[in-house]
């Protein structure tokens, strides 16, 4: 069964360091999302891609966060420099369509701890 | 800012009890989804409702979309320990097309 792949699964870093997360969506899925989730709370959208284009990055802290999906397939989310408040689960999701009404398929997430 | 408010935020019950989780907003949604998330995993879709007043059943789970498409509920009958997890509603806004998640309801079912 096709899955959304994310790595690393866990990352521990010190504040001010750089960190990167990778996501490979289900093949053929046009839309890719990066979410940040605090334990026990709902996911918050950081950035949404449709193919290789950003369609929504209004909640992405652009002074330290960047995201790219160069060939419209896999994607990387980078944080530089990391801050204590960035500790969270970073979830990647993909959907086949180009709207926001279809089922989102989530990866297992990358848990970040900033010390 | 469009918000989806879920209640209750936490729920701890005994096996066999019934429960209802609510998802409310002042905004209209073209569709609403319910996801369940287990610790250390990503959310998994349970159901999508698109029509006002729609009721969908999934074994012991009953989902309802409000007539005005501004609210939804999830009812679980005879809860089991395997139902334990974080339940999330997510609405696709009729105005902006954005998908908005609620804050989640953490359910613990004790044997």
């Amino acid at each position: 069964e096709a899955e959304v792949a994310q790595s690393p699964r866990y990352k521990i870093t010190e504040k001010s360091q750089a960190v990167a997360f990778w996501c490979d969506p289900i093949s053929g899925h046009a839309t890719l999302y990066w979410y940040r989730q605090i334990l026990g709370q709902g996911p918050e959208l950081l950035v949404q891609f449709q193919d290789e284009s950003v369609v929504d990055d209004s909640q992405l802290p652009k002074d330290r966060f960047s995201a790219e999906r160069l060939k419209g397939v896999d994607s990387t989310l980078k944080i530089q420099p990391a801050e204590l408040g960035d500790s969270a689960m970073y979830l990647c999701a993909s959907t086949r369509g180009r709207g926001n009404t279809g089922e989102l398929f989530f990866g297992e997430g990358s848990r970040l701890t900033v010390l | 800012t469009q918000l989806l408010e879920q209640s209750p935020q936490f729920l701890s019950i005994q096996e066999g009890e019934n429960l209802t989780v609510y998802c409310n907003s002042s905004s209209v949604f073209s569709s609403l989804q319910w996801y369940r998330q287990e610790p250390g995993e990503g959310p998994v879709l349970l159901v999508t409702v698109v029509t006002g007043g729609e009721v969908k059943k999934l074994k012991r789970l009953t989902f309802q979309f409000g007539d005005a498409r501004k609210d939804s509920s999830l009812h679980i009958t005879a809860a089991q320990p395997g139902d334990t997890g974080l339940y999330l509603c997510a609405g696709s806004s009729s105005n902006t097309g954005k998908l908005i998640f609620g804050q989640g309801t953490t359910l613990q079912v004790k044997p």
Side-chain angles (χ1 to χ4, degrees):
Chain A
E1 184 177 332
E3 295 180 342
V4 175
Q6 288 189 247
S7 66
R9 190 81 192 272
Y10 303 94
K11 178 70 177 180
I12 300 174
T13 190
E14 293 185 345
K15 63 180 182 179
S16 79
Q17 297 297 306
V19 62
F21 304 112
W22 176 79
C23 172
D24 191 12
I26 294 173
S27 178
H29 280 199
T31 305
L32 183 148
Y33 307 81
W34 282 102
Y35 286 93
R36 177 169 57 189
Q37 184 180 32
I38 305 298
L39 187 64
Q41 297 183 19
E44 297 177 65
L45 180 68
L46 292 173
V47 61
Q48 178 183 346
F49 290 93
Q50 183 174 299
D51 300 309
E52 68 277 4
S53 300
V54 173
V55 296
D56 187 353
D57 63 355
S58 56
Q59 301 302 311
L60 187 72
K62 298 180 186 64
D63 57 334
R64 298 185 300 109
F65 286 65
S66 64
E68 59 183 16
R69 193 185 183 199
L70 292 176
K71 297 182 179 179
V73 181
D74 59 339
S75 176
T76 302
L77 176 70
K78 296 179 181 178
I79 308 174
Q80 182 173 17
E83 295 181 353
L84 296 177
D86 296 332
S87 294
M89 175 78 87
Y90 290 83
L91 291 166
C92 178
S94 69
T95 186
R96 181 177 300 279
R98 290 177 166 79
N100 283 319
T101 57
E103 176 180 0
L104 266 62
F105 293 85
F106 284 86
E108 292 182 316
S110 295
R111 179 163 294 284
L112 173 65
T113 301
V114 182
L115 303 175
Chain B
T1 303
Q2 295 171 306
L3 292 174
L4 266 176
E5 296 188 0
Q6 284 188 240
S7 61
Q9 190 174 359
F10 300 101
L11 196 53
S12 181
I13 61 173
Q14 293 295 134
E15 181 176 1
E17 293 184 6
N18 301 332
L19 67 115
T20 302
V21 176
Y22 299 93
C23 178
N24 296 300
S25 177
S26 58
S27 302
V28 176
F29 294 98
S30 58
S31 66
L32 197 135
Q33 301 171 338
W34 283 92
Y35 290 82
R36 178 169 163 266
Q37 185 177 20
E38 296 189 26
E41 303 291 332
V44 176
L45 182 69
L46 295 173
V47 77
T48 301
V49 286
V50 296
T51 305
E54 182 176 3
V55 177
K56 282 192 174 180
K57 292 191 176 184
L58 186 65
K59 296 183 180 178
R60 295 176 293 101
L61 278 60
T62 301
F63 304 86
Q64 186 164 6
F65 201 12
D67 290 341
R69 290 185 288 130
K70 294 182 178 181
D71 55 87
S72 181
S73 64
L74 158 60
H75 182 79
I76 301 179
T77 303
Q80 299 177 1
D83 295 328
T84 293
L86 178 68
Y87 288 81
L88 297 159
C89 63
S92 180
S93 170
S94 293
N95 288 338
T96 66
K98 289 190 176 184
L99 187 67
I100 302 164
F101 276 87
Q103 316 99 305
T105 295
T106 299
L107 172 64
Q108 180 186 44
V109 183
K110 302 175 196 174

